[in-house]
Amino acid sequence: MEKKYNKYLLQFNNETRQHSLNVAKLCKKFAYTEELNEDLAYKVGLLHDIGKIYIPSRILKKDTRLDNLERQIIDLHSYYGYKLLKEELKEPPEVYLSVLYHHGYGKVKLENINEPINENAVKLIRLVHCLDIFEAMTSERIYHKAKSPSIALEVVENDDMCSDYLKEELNKVYA
């Protein structure tokens, strides 16, 4: 991975760094389900939470339920990552739009964004969205114990953003 990301990735707490690395590996492993370039899928997986460097650590490390304001603040990480990747790091639209929309299209943003989303970006968004959920659920977190792959697969199975082919392939590997 390019060195230009290191100064940002090194700001992650250990949990976010490990999660991002795990999501990146899963994105690379399952890139074929969306006919995506493995290196591009890995990059988006690694950078999907880069906006968390702007979220206060007291919120990221909170071990109890977030209140409404804290949830809104943490939801902004996708927007902050989008801004960083677009304006400072000059990434292509498929990268910064994938980061912006990896939690869905209706999340909190500080401005209206009306950029066209090409087919490759849609595929990347779907991939990172689903694998982010799967990895977060099956890993030990400050705020929850790791869940079994079967429970995570159930959640992914009911998520309309996840492609049927990815669901099938996840089931083959983890069911």
Side-chain angles (χ1 to χ4, degrees), residues 25-67:
K25 290 175 182 176
L26 286 169
C27 285
K28 184 174 184 167
K29 180 176 183 172
F30 290 100
Y32 70 93
T33 65
E34 295 286 353
E35 299 175 339
L36 291 166
N37 174 281
E38 288 181 358
D39 293 333
L40 179 61
Y42 182 90
K43 178 197 267 189
V44 170
L46 189 65
L47 300 176
H48 80 281
D49 278 344
I50 198 166
K52 285 187 176 177
I53 65 173
Y54 300 110
I55 304 300
S57 61
R58 69 168 187 76
I59 294 175
L60 293 175
K61 293 180 178 182
K62 188 172 179 182
D63 62 358
T64 58
R65 188 173 185 86
L66 298 176
D67 64 32

Side-chain angles (χ1 to χ4, degrees), residues 8 13 30 32 45 58 64 71 73 89 92 105 145 172:
Y8 302 101
N13 62 37
F30 290 100
Y32 70 93
R58 69 168 187 76
T64 58
R71 171 53 49 204
I73 291 169
L89 295 174
Y105 296 102
K145 299 232 180 274
K172 283 181 190 175

Side-chain angles (χ1 to χ4, degrees), residues 1-10 12 16-25 27 39-54 77-86 89-92 94-103 124 128 132:
M1 191 55 45
E2 295 178 47
K3 289 182 181 178
K4 71 179 181 179
Y5 307 118
N6 285 347
K7 79 175 189 177
Y8 302 101
L9 298 175
L10 291 173
F12 281 161
T16 303
R17 187 178 307 112
Q18 190 60 54
H19 167 69
S20 294
L21 187 57
N22 291 345
V23 171
K25 290 175 182 176
C27 285
D39 293 333
L40 179 61
Y42 182 90
K43 178 197 267 189
V44 170
L46 189 65
L47 300 176
H48 80 281
D49 278 344
I50 198 166
K52 285 187 176 177
I53 65 173
Y54 300 110
H77 81 275
S78 302
Y79 173 77
Y80 293 146
Y82 155 81
K83 294 294 275 186
L84 175 66
L85 292 168
K86 180 180 180 179
L89 295 174
K90 309 293 186 207
E91 290 294 330
E94 61 192 357
V95 173
Y96 63 73
L97 290 172
S98 298
V99 168
L100 176 64
Y101 294 121
H102 79 273
H103 284 298
L124 282 162
V128 76
D132 182 31

Side-chain angles (χ1 to χ4, degrees), residues 117-130:
I117 304 173
N118 68 30
E119 184 180 346
N120 214 37
V122 170
K123 291 176 178 183
L124 282 162
I125 292 164
R126 277 197 311 244
L127 185 72
V128 76
H129 170 81
C130 299

